[in-house]
Every structure is written in structure tokens, then in C-alpha cells.
Amino acid sequence: KSLTSKTIKFKKLFFVSALKIILIGTLSVMVVGVCFGIGAFKGILSSAPDVDPASVLPQGFATVVYDAKGNELTKLVAANYNRSSEKIDKIPQYLCDAFVAIEDQRFYEHNGIDLKRILSAGIMVLQSGKLQQGASTITQQIIKNNIFDNWTNESDIQKIKRKIQEQYLALELEKKMSKEQILEIYMNTINLGQNTLGVKAAALRYFNKQPYQLTLSEYPVIAATTSNPSRYNPTSHPDNNKKRRDVVLDNM
């Protein structure tokens, strides 16, 4: 009777049909989701600004007044304009190494983005439920600071969009510039606290020296301020800076 029961056959047929409908619906949702994701991703990339070596150069330099004989009379500095340009061949290699060690250890190996750091940051997002900083390479930081405006006031959605564009533009920039050129721009761009932009302004502000005059113990003091210029300021928070400096030295 069980083998020939129409009720049992109908139940089994209904179950199989329902399972097929659920499977087809799930696959349809997945396909639509993937198509939507690809479309959104392409849309984000297509709206990204153009990037080239000229567009990522830092803006806003201090104005120096000289007399007729070439002697410096005064230096005029406005907010966010205390920057003095310095060529990479005049920046000590150990000072460059200090920044690479604390900001982007695989700088000379990656092609603009660090997949290991991105994966690590993704895991942190899943664990904490919040977008965390720390996955940006030196190349990405240049693009963030010199291409994008008002990124400090972004919503989470805007931050995700900017991060995707940032990574895409970093890949494009590294096709057009050498690592030395990128590092030079970074060393002249980075905010190092107390209205100092770039390593030359920071060396003069904190040690009253040119970058080439700094000592090995002074290189990591400047590099230590990068992640949080206020918290790790060597003048106002020397203890915090010392802890961060020791991390820089260990990484070096």
C-alpha cells in the first residue's frame, strides 16, 4: 500500500518540486547578485578620477622670501602649506627605510596594492564589524592625500567606494612611475604633525636640521608620527612617540 499510495507519491512529488523551485530561486538570486556586483564595481571604476605623475604631486608649499643677494629673509607659512620639497637623492636611505618599515613593509615587492594586508584587514572587518585602517600601501596613501578630497568625513559606503578606486588607481600609477619616484612624492606629502608636511619640514621643526643631517635615532622619531600625528607628536607626546619609534626600529 505504501508503494502504491497516491498520497505518498504526491507528497514526494511536491517535496521534489519545492526543492527544485528553491534551488532555481537561489541560483537566480546568486546570478543577479553577481551581475549587480560586477556592474557596481565597473561603475565605481569608471567614475574614478584620472591619475598620472603630474596629478599626484603634492600641493601647498611654504613661501620663502630672499633678498637681492639670495639670502633668506623670511618664510611665510599658512595652514596646510608648511611643505618644502626635497629630492629623493637628498633624503637618507635609512629615513626612507623607516617609513617603509612602519607603513608598507612590502613596498618594493607589490604592484600598488598589498593583497596580504587587504586580506588581513578583511578578516578584521568580519571580526569587528567595522572598517579598519591599515591596509593602504604608500602608493594608495599618495592617491588618497593628493587625489581625493574630504576623505576624513566619509560614510562607510563612500569609504568603500573610495578604497576600491584608490586600489585601482594605485595599480595604474605604478605602471607609470618607479618606486623611487613614488617614494619621493610620499616623503614630500605625508602629514607629520604640527603643520609639517613632508620630511624636510618635519626635520626642521623637530630637530632644526636638514634631512641629511639627521641621526639614526632621529629617523624613526619622524616616521613614528605618520599613523597619528597628534598622538605620536614627539614634542607634545614624547612617551607615545618613543613606543612607536621602538616599533619602527624593530621593523627596520
Side-chain angles (χ1 to χ4, degrees), residues 57-58 60-62 75 82-88 90-91 184-185 187-189 197-201 210-211:
L57 292 176
F61 291 86
K75 186 177 182 181
N82 187 18
R83 178 184 286 113
S84 299
S85 182
E86 190 74 297
K87 293 294 184 183
I88 193 68
K90 293 185 178 180
I91 300 175
E184 179 180 308
I185 292 175
M187 300 293 272
N188 285 298
T189 296
L197 302 172
V199 295
K200 186 173 183 178
Q210 294 292 331

Side-chain angles (χ1 to χ4, degrees), residues 200-234:
K200 186 173 183 178
L204 290 170
R205 171 61 64 89
Y206 296 127
F207 299 107
N208 196 28
K209 295 179 180 180
Q210 294 292 331
Y212 66 86
Q213 296 174 317
L214 295 172
T215 65
L216 181 59
S217 64
E218 292 167 341
Y219 300 145
V221 169
I222 293 177
T225 65
T226 54
S227 62
N228 191 323
S230 176
R231 180 180 180 184
Y232 297 117
N233 188 300

Side-chain angles (χ1 to χ4, degrees), residues 50-59 139 142-147 169 173 177 181-182 185-186 189:
D50 294 329
V51 64
D52 57 57
S55 66
V56 295
L57 292 176
Q59 304 295 322
T139 313
I142 290 174
I143 292 170
K144 178 178 69 176
N145 290 318
N146 296 343
I147 297 292
L169 294 177
L173 187 63
M177 301 182 71
Q181 291 173 315
I182 292 171
I185 292 175
Y186 175 80
T189 296

Side-chain angles (χ1 to χ4, degrees), residues 38-92:
I38 293 174
F41 184 75
K42 288 184 176 180
I44 290 173
L45 296 186
S46 65
S47 64
D50 294 329
V51 64
D52 57 57
S55 66
V56 295
L57 292 176
Q59 304 295 322
F61 291 86
T63 300
V64 180
V65 181
Y66 299 91
D67 62 18
K69 296 182 180 180
N71 300 313
E72 182 177 329
L73 295 178
T74 187
K75 186 177 182 181
L76 307 177
V77 179
N80 299 322
Y81 276 81
N82 187 18
R83 178 184 286 113
S84 299
S85 182
E86 190 74 297
K87 293 294 184 183
I88 193 68
D89 57 1
K90 293 185 178 180
I91 300 175

Side-chain angles (χ1 to χ4, degrees), residues 10-22:
F10 178 78
K11 289 181 178 179
K12 290 182 177 180
L13 181 62
F14 178 81
F15 176 76
V16 171
S17 299
L19 192 61
K20 287 182 179 180
I21 292 172
I22 293 172

